Amino acid sequence: MAPAYDFPGDDSSSSNSDIHSDRRIATTHHSGFNEIAALEETYQKATYQDVGIQPDEAVSHFADELDRYTTDLDVSPAEKRAQVLQLVDSYYNYTRRRANQLQDLHSRQQSARHGSWQGGMEIDDDEGSVVGLEELRRAEEEAQTWDLLRRILPLRHRDPAAHAHKTSVQSPTRSRKEWWDEFIIADSFAKERKVVLEWLQNSASHGPPVDELVSELQQNAERGDILAHGWLHTRSKIKLQKSVNGYQGVLDPNIPGVADSHLGSNTLITQLDPDSMTRQTRRLEPQDEFFERAIWLGCFEMLRRGYAMSEIRDWCLARTELWRAAAFAPLPLSNPEDEDEPDFDPASMVLWNRVCYKTSRDGGTSDYDKAVYGLLAGDVDSVERVSKSWDDFLFAHYNALLRMQFDSFLIKHAGEDVGRVANKFAASEVLKKSKNPRTVGKDLISRLETDPRTRDEASRTLKLLQGVIIANELDQHLHHQGVALGEDANKIQESRLIPKSAVLPPNVDVKKYIGLSDHDSMRILTHILIIDTTLDRINGFSAEGEFDRIYREKENIIAGYISYLRLASLEEMIPLYCSKLHGHRVYETLSRNLIHIGDNNARVNQLKIMRKLHIDIAEFAKAQPAIYLQDVKASEAECEAKKNFKILEDGPATLKYGRIVKPDFFGLDDALTIDQADDIIIRSLEWLMLVPGLLKETCEYVILAYKYFLKRTHLTAARALSDRVSGREILRTKTSASIRGSDQDGGPGWFDEFASSATPAVVDDSTIDWEELTVTIRNLWELECLVNALDIMETLSSLAGLTREENSNPREVWLEVGKQIRLAKECMKPVLKNWLLSSKKADKDFKLLREAYIPETVMVFVSSLHFVGTSLSRDNLLECMELAAVIAEKGSDLAQEFIKCGRMKELLEAFASCSKALAIWTSDKKSSQPGSKKMREMGWSRELWAVKP
């Protein structure tokens, strides 16, 4: 299927850094850059900050493949399982190709450097920076890790519907392959050990070529390019001895003359058969010893890498040493499966095994020939003697285990003759030493972690990961890794991105686990977790109860990687990885990592991606405001406005301006004064506006936001909310009601339009209670009107300040004053009559807001009318007197609030000041004109208030 997202360009996709060191939990706080702190800072500021993180090409490729193989939900479990395994294959193919490319580039750079000393080739600038050995190692280890997974996951996550095909061959003669297949089918442990062994062989095959490994020994053999003809230097000595002394036939070292006159050496062999050195206890010429060691080293490496017998034969044939290949033929365990032996004799195989074991212990002339026979016999000690890496030591044990398992199988099932042969000779005891076959892998990996020869390599991130996969402890490792990330993220302060929910057991070494700054390892672990979890769910494993907690802690890995994607400006990948989480964490992680996006086009694109990924965008949109309101504990917030909402200056009212209103009581600039937590809440509501439907939920969340802002006296945030998520736009966006735009009507009349003309049909949801919805929309309108009224009266306060500072003001100022007072009157209408009293259920927050805002807001409105009445028209003073009459009416909800807060006297003084101004204002420039339409409608008369001398 098509990708669910469009990737950013790959212009900076590869950062070929020189060294990629392991970054562990134990060291993250000692580096100069604290990544979790940067993540939290970007979250708190709700904006992207450049922290210098450059993603490499693998990030895009892994996301692309993940989207390609795991987002098709309309398939059967078997098909889904096949898709997941194909995903693992694709990751292996990519990382293998990448490791090979780096190796080729490194080789070319090495050749160029060596060539430049001799005036030869130069490094091409287009090939980028120098590929370091550490980068090569990490690339190779990652490819090995995915190779291991693609081999072992099909065994551990079998298709429950598939039945194992069992074969039981009863014919008297069976081929080696038939015996081997029956053994593999019968022994589940053998299957997995065979897989691990094949993985180790494949990993080794990507090392330096065998001929390159033996080249130094070959040079010391002083034979130029001659590979054939065996021991050249020793043969020449023997021929010379025969010629000098006139001997015929084979030299006998026991003849006195030969022993004393072998050209000055009494330790040189006298015959050239392969056993002559051990039989005569003599040596080869030094050059031929190098040649011999080179051949045994080559044979060991070919067996170690799983070469086919045909390849081993060809290699030995080129050196005229074909007999060596014949010695390996009975069971080379090559990969892929090698030549079969049709007429297979189990007794011969068992005997051959013990002969090889004896040779590995007591025969041979060097460590490598002993190791070759030890490898064939299932001996561990002789193979470990030439082992150099963690892989080599692991190979020594798994090879021995598998060979001796097959040996035991043959002894048990091939008849009594085989048993009698086995009892006559000693064999490897590796199976006896491993008492519990279920814990062999775990015990071996633990031993390699403490063995001085492998301890350092075993502690590397990807070797640790390979170890836990082999030990079948991947689930536990991923769980502990998630817990470690949670502990680290919350070490300095509480993290909202990666919550802490548990602690690591005291016996767990935290140094084994990576930190957030190891981006490559985070990428690998994230995709392994997704694959492992997906296979579990396909097989019917349910994460419930205690397992649900474990899954959530594992998912800290994915959450950490998602936050890295955010820091790397790869937001379009975030929904893909969030879709791999489960439960509410999908929406919480999405929200916390996308909230910084402010452009609506980018938001819409994110919603499109979510739809393609089958993420419920309605749940996402509803979750966002709930998350951020909970962050600030909005429902528990105290009503600080009851003490803090004071916007009138102290002092008595003046004749012309009434009580002075504090200038700029909202704040100088929304962008500077709005709190980041408040801005995030508004952003979450902007996301909610982009999702179709959800009218009731949108209105309810906007009301909750208004409640929180007003209770905390965050007036700037409340004003920003009314601008960015206005009630008018909510109805225009989420209903089909005919509501004029703000360009046609900038006032609060949108609710009247809705209430007078809208029907339930305008809402695309038949389950909504229309009456309840109407009340909810009314409450939103009333809250918005309060905020807008306060905003307008702040503007009037600023205009009044200008008129006080300057005696003469331009006409534009007075026009603006007139415009603002008209808007203030419209916005104050719902505030002056049953404001927030229409709710069906008692709302304690509404009660608190009425107590906090009605008295002060009404007083400011009276002061505004006073100022405009003495400056423009006495009609505003008359409206002030009308307001006094309304408040004085019996049962007035406004009067109750003034009485409750003890400010009725203050209100009466404000009205008295207005009446005084009206009475003595005799020079009204409009007094000679007829009364206004409103005066006639209300029955007002200015003359009643005129004071005549």
Side-chain angles (χ1 to χ4, degrees), residues 33-53 493 495-497 516 559-560 562-569 571 574 589 591-598 628 676-677 679-680 683:
F33 175 61
N34 187 331
E35 186 148 332
I36 190 62
L39 285 168
E40 294 295 338
E41 185 177 3
T42 58
Y43 161 68
Q44 292 294 339
K45 294 188 175 180
T47 182
Y48 172 73
Q49 294 181 349
D50 185 5
V51 293
I53 291 178
Q493 62 182 4
S495 170
R496 301 195 187 279
L497 296 164
L516 286 166
I562 290 169
S563 295
Y564 155 69
L565 294 176
R566 174 182 171 179
L567 284 182
S569 299
E571 289 89 347
I574 288 174
T589 308
S591 178
R592 295 200 184 280
N593 287 282
L594 296 180
I595 194 65
H596 65 287
I597 298 177
Y628 295 114
Q676 288 296 331
D679 184 57
I680 288 175
R683 284 170 179 261

Side-chain angles (χ1 to χ4, degrees), residues 667-720:
L668 296 175
D669 187 342
D670 283 5
L672 296 176
T673 59
I674 187 170
D675 186 80
Q676 288 296 331
D678 296 346
D679 184 57
I680 288 175
I681 293 171
I682 300 171
R683 284 170 179 261
S684 71
L685 296 169
E686 290 175 326
W687 278 91
L688 189 56
M689 286 286 288
L690 297 175
V691 178
L694 304 178
L695 172 62
K696 184 173 181 290
E697 291 85 349
T698 303
C699 293
E700 288 174 344
Y701 278 123
V702 172
I703 288 171
L704 289 173
Y706 273 127
K707 284 181 180 179
Y708 172 70
F709 295 154
L710 293 174
K711 284 194 297 183
R712 297 292 301 275
T713 328
H714 293 182
L715 298 181
T716 306
R719 178 170 62 188

